[in-house]
Amino acid sequence: MLSRNAAVPRIVIVGGGAGGLELATRLGRTLGARHRAQIVLVDGSPTHIWKPLLHEVATGALNTGEDEVNYFAHGYRNGYDFEFGYMQGLDQKRRTIRLSAIPGSDGQLLSPEREIGYDWLVIAVGAEANDFGTPGVAEHAMFLNTPNDAEKLRHRVLEQAFRASSGEEPARALSIAIVGGGATGVELAAELNHTMCELHHYGARLQPERVRISVIEAADRILAAAPPSLSAYAEEQLAGKNIRVLTGSRVAAVEADGVALAGGSKVEADITVWAAGVKASAWLAGLDGLETNRVNQLVVDTRLHCAGGDCIYAMGDCAAAPDGDSGRMLAATAQVAHQQARYLADELARRLDDKPARPFVFKPQGMMVSLGKHTAVGSLAAVVGPKRDYHVEGRGAKLIYASLYRMHQAAVHGWALAILLFIGDKLRRAARPALKLH
């Protein structure tokens, strides 16, 4: 079946996150470059940055301007078209999606509402923070879901750090509370600690020991999805950095000056960051005929085909996807999205050739968590088996952790350009400050 406006089948991918961009790149280089299909990527931002790096953006260790991928330029080089806009509606009968109007910075309309036809549609819009209905989160907490969130947090941290170091109270401490002891919360805590040490080296009078960072986790240990030995090592490393870990602590409310816990105690905080969970965007629950679960994720089968949808797939954090081998529901992680992108690139090519569908089978690769500039910890499920409690740690683990981003760059740019980008990063870091201080 051909789309209304194209001489070849049109595959529309909504969402340019890690999975969506990789899928568009793979399909563009194969089907798009060979004119077997028109590949269209839709996103409300003109650029992409790898989401697992947002904690580095939030602390100034990573400059978004140097590491972002521009969809227009990348699409031109890789055989897909880019449409700038947010999806807001779906018409399955007409096989179209509706994009919202785009205003400019001056309030003038850049682009009106418009429709895009599709033959196959892939929804890969990611997820957002889930506050679980906790009072005060929207009003008083900061988040780490988007590059804009990370930049806001970075500016807030810098302002509070300089205020504490140059204000009228020279002995005043700076308190930061992070709600959520998963990978995001743990990595952010470690990176913030490193940032405060660097700020002191650059002349800020705020002593690192006057910075109080707390990680608040409702479960009985941080990194609850990881093997117990990995959690224990991570907690030991955080304690060595004077980062307080509060496990078994359920948040009752977030207030302007801290976090109130269910037991009646309170964690004082100048900055509170909410990293306790994710949910899909509410607008997904209103799409024409598509089934969603209680956290708005699109329900898909083992082929990532949407329940209630015709020729519609979903992947990544916005999809409630079962493993085609074990049948268990898959977690919202970057490695799941990466493997789903590879699967759908092959699956859609098979659909064009009228070949039978195959289920998506997830192959666990373990977990890697950064614990600062020179150390990390991770499980090696792909090597020793997912049921064994074994982990790697220290500088070796940090090298493995850093390689994950280089592998993402290789998937998006190819290995030759990824190597050049790696060399460029090393040269820039040798020539500029370790932190972005403005």
Side-chain angles (χ1 to χ4, degrees):
M1 178 183 295
L2 299 181
S3 61
R4 295 181 300 123
N5 302 313
V8 294
R10 178 183 291 169
I11 301 172
V12 176
I13 303 158
V14 182
L21 177 59
E22 182 174 344
L23 177 59
T25 303
R26 290 180 179 277
L27 291 176
R29 291 173 180 170
T30 54
L31 305 181
R34 297 169 186 170
H35 305 289
R36 296 189 59 205
Q38 180 188 11
I39 313 302
V40 180
L41 177 64
V42 177
D43 199 278
S45 170
T47 59
H48 159 88
I49 189 165
W50 199 45
K51 193 172 182 178
L53 293 180
L54 288 183
H55 68 279
E56 294 189 24
V57 176
T59 58
L62 185 71
N63 189 335
T64 54
E66 296 172 351
D67 288 83
E68 287 176 320
V69 177
N70 183 281
Y71 294 124
F72 288 105
H74 188 264
Y76 173 75
R77 292 194 299 266
N78 290 277
Y80 68 85
D81 299 318
F82 175 63
E83 286 284 345
F84 185 32
Y86 290 102
M87 178 179 172
Q88 65 175 7
L90 168 70
D91 187 331
Q92 289 205 61
K93 185 177 181 180
R94 298 172 54 233
R95 289 202 178 182
T96 62
I97 63 170
R98 186 171 69 257
L99 304 187
S100 61
I102 303 174
S105 58
D106 58 357
Q108 298 294 317
L109 191 65
L110 290 180
S111 177
E113 286 190 14
R114 62 199 190 278
E115 291 186 338
I116 298 177
Y118 67 85
D119 293 292
W120 287 286
L121 174 65
V122 181
I123 301 176
V125 293
E128 59 189 32
N130 187 354
D131 62 11
F132 305 101
T134 307
V137 174
E139 296 83 1
H140 304 300
M142 304 192 75
F143 303 96
L144 198 58
N145 297 311
T146 67
N148 189 43
D149 288 341
E151 284 293 334
K152 287 180 180 179
L153 179 55
R154 185 178 67 82
H155 284 289
R156 180 77 179 277
V157 168
L158 285 176
E159 289 171 358
Q160 291 287 349
F162 286 124
R163 181 176 291 119
S165 65
S166 60
E168 297 179 355
E169 303 176 59
R172 180 177 179 270
L174 171 61
S175 298
I176 303 173
I178 301 169
V179 181
T184 299
V186 169
E187 290 184 337
L188 178 61
E191 198 67 43
L192 283 171
N193 172 266
H194 172 68
T195 294
M196 294 306 167
C197 293
E198 290 290 335
L199 285 175
H200 181 63
H201 294 156
Y202 286 135
R205 290 191 292 274
L206 178 65
Q207 300 290 334
E209 56 268 21
R210 285 165 45 208
V211 180
R212 300 169 184 167
I213 302 174
S214 301
V215 177
I216 305 169
E217 171 57 47
D220 59 358
R221 60 186 175 94
I222 58 174
L223 303 175
S229 64
L230 190 151
S231 298
Y233 178 82
E235 186 166 347
E236 177 186 329
Q237 290 296 306
L238 294 181
K241 301 175 187 294
N242 295 318
I243 297 172
R244 183 170 57 157
V245 176
L246 303 173
T247 55
S249 302
R250 187 172 63 84
V251 174
V254 176
E255 300 171 354
D257 59 350
V259 179
L261 302 181
S265 60
K266 183 174 181 178
V267 179
E268 304 290 337
D270 299 293
I271 302 173
T272 299
V273 183
W274 189 270
V278 296
K279 63 180 180 180
S281 299
W283 63 269
L284 290 172
L287 292 181
D288 183 18
L290 301 188
E291 182 181 344
T292 56
N293 64 10
R294 60 183 179 83
V295 290
N296 306 322
Q297 289 177 308
L298 295 165
V299 177
V300 301
D301 60 20
T302 56
R303 298 178 295 113
L304 304 184
H305 189 270
C306 287
D310 181 24
C311 296
I312 302 177
Y313 299 85
M315 59 171 286
D317 296 355
C318 72
D323 181 32
D325 185 19
S326 66
R328 64 182 178 85
M329 300 306 293
L330 298 171
T333 64
Q335 63 172 298
V336 170
H338 164 69
Q339 293 187 35
Q340 288 175 336
R342 296 189 65 174
Y343 164 81
L344 277 179
D346 181 68
E347 177 66 16
L348 289 168
R350 291 173 65 87
R351 288 294 302 272
L352 281 179
D353 295 332
D354 293 323
K355 294 181 179 179
R358 298 179 297 184
F360 169 70
V361 177
F362 175 63
K363 298 178 181 178
Q365 303 296 308
M367 170 188 282
M368 297 299 303
V369 179
S370 173
L371 296 173
K373 185 176 181 180
H374 298 300
T375 187
V377 63
S379 63
L380 294 177
V383 178
V384 301
K387 294 184 179 180
R388 292 187 58 185
D389 185 3
Y390 177 79
H391 70 267
V392 291
E393 59 192 50
R395 289 179 178 268
K398 187 65 176 183
L399 288 173
I400 298 174
Y401 178 88
S403 72
L404 299 179
Y405 179 48
R406 302 305 170 183
M407 292 172 66
H408 170 69
Q409 287 185 314
V412 171
H413 300 294
W415 276 109
L417 184 53
I419 292 172
L420 291 176
L421 290 171
F422 170 74
I423 296 171
D425 286 345
K426 292 297 183 182
L427 293 175
R428 284 197 301 268
R429 293 189 180 190
R432 61 173 173 80
L435 299 177
K436 185 179 180 182
L437 300 172
H438 58 280

